[in-house]
Amino acid sequence: MTIASNDARTGPYNGNGSTTVFAYDFKITDETHLVVTLTDAAGADTTQTLTTEYTVSGVGEAAGGNVTMVTPPASGELLSFTRAVPITQLTDLQNRGAVFPQVLENAFDKLTQIAQDSNELYVRVPRFPVGSAEANVELPATLVANTALVVNAGATGYTTGPTTSEISAAQGYATNAAASVTLASQWASLNTGIVAST
């Protein structure tokens, strides 16, 4: 069977607290290759567990099949389907042995699916435009909770910036300063032309 579609992702679907059956529209050759991800209302992703949280139909079908959730996703939750084919090569062709076209086609199909899975991930990764001269830009080696990511002093990568508390405090200072400027302007306009008495 050929793989005519370059799709490797379906969704996200919006949960409504009652729907349990959702379609995926790409081929899988094993139910364990399908990745079911539930996103909560806060945006946190959780990979669901096969048989415990969902079942799969349509294995081997070019048009895909259905995922049946044990618990329907709630309103505010999202459900997405992707594929993760193991990056292995298990086709063993023997010297001077018989070669069956279906064996070769299955191997080619698997390579195509691996390429599609990689591309599905690639299109969601932030990247510089084609015309950019940026290259080898690195992120910090460790993550620091509640901090911003900023361009480093040499403009060669990113570093850890101010904390969310510091940013919030700076916003408060800016708001207060703007209010002070407004009050000063109003006071000046009210007192225009007043001359102090002697």
Side-chain angles (χ1 to χ4, degrees):
M1 182 181 292
T2 63
I3 298 181
S5 170
N6 62 6
D7 187 22
R9 175 188 177 94
T10 304
Y13 290 103
N14 291 306
N16 60 12
S18 60
T19 303
T20 57
V21 180
F22 302 87
Y24 65 94
D25 61 0
F26 49 85
K27 180 183 177 181
I28 59 171
T29 55
D30 190 301
E31 61 183 6
T32 62
H33 295 176
L34 189 69
V35 180
V36 177
T37 304
L38 185 69
T39 306
D40 66 20
D45 290 342
T46 303
T47 301
Q48 303 297 282
T49 304
L50 181 63
T51 68
T52 303
E53 294 170 306
Y54 69 94
T55 57
V56 180
S57 68
V59 174
E61 298 294 329
N66 291 318
V67 170
T68 302
M69 300 297 293
V70 173
T71 303
S75 295
E77 293 182 329
L78 302 174
L79 194 64
S80 302
F81 307 132
T82 53
R83 187 181 54 213
V85 176
I87 306 176
T88 55
Q89 203 296 90
L90 303 178
T91 303
D92 187 13
L93 302 176
Q94 301 297 317
N95 285 334
R96 305 183 70 158
V99 177
F100 298 98
Q102 189 60 55
V103 172
L104 293 177
E105 186 172 19
N106 289 344
F108 293 148
D109 284 355
K110 182 177 181 182
L111 289 174
T112 301
Q113 288 179 324
I114 290 171
Q116 289 177 340
D117 296 350
S118 297
N119 185 68
E120 191 282 322
L121 233 115
Y122 167 75
V123 298
R124 290 187 286 116
V125 174
R127 58 190 183 274
F128 292 106
V130 173
S132 173
E134 299 292 346
N136 302 316
V137 177
E138 294 186 354
L139 294 172
T142 56
L143 295 176
V144 181
N146 300 316
T147 58
L149 193 63
V150 298
V151 177
N152 64 22
T156 57
Y158 293 90
T159 188
T160 300
T163 67
T164 52
S165 296
E166 291 170 336
I167 293 171
S168 180
Q171 289 174 326
Y173 299 149
T175 299
N176 292 339
S180 296
V181 169
T182 300
L183 287 173
S185 176
Q186 291 173 344
W187 177 257
S189 65
L190 288 172
N191 289 282
T192 299
I194 296 178
V195 179
S197 58
T198 56

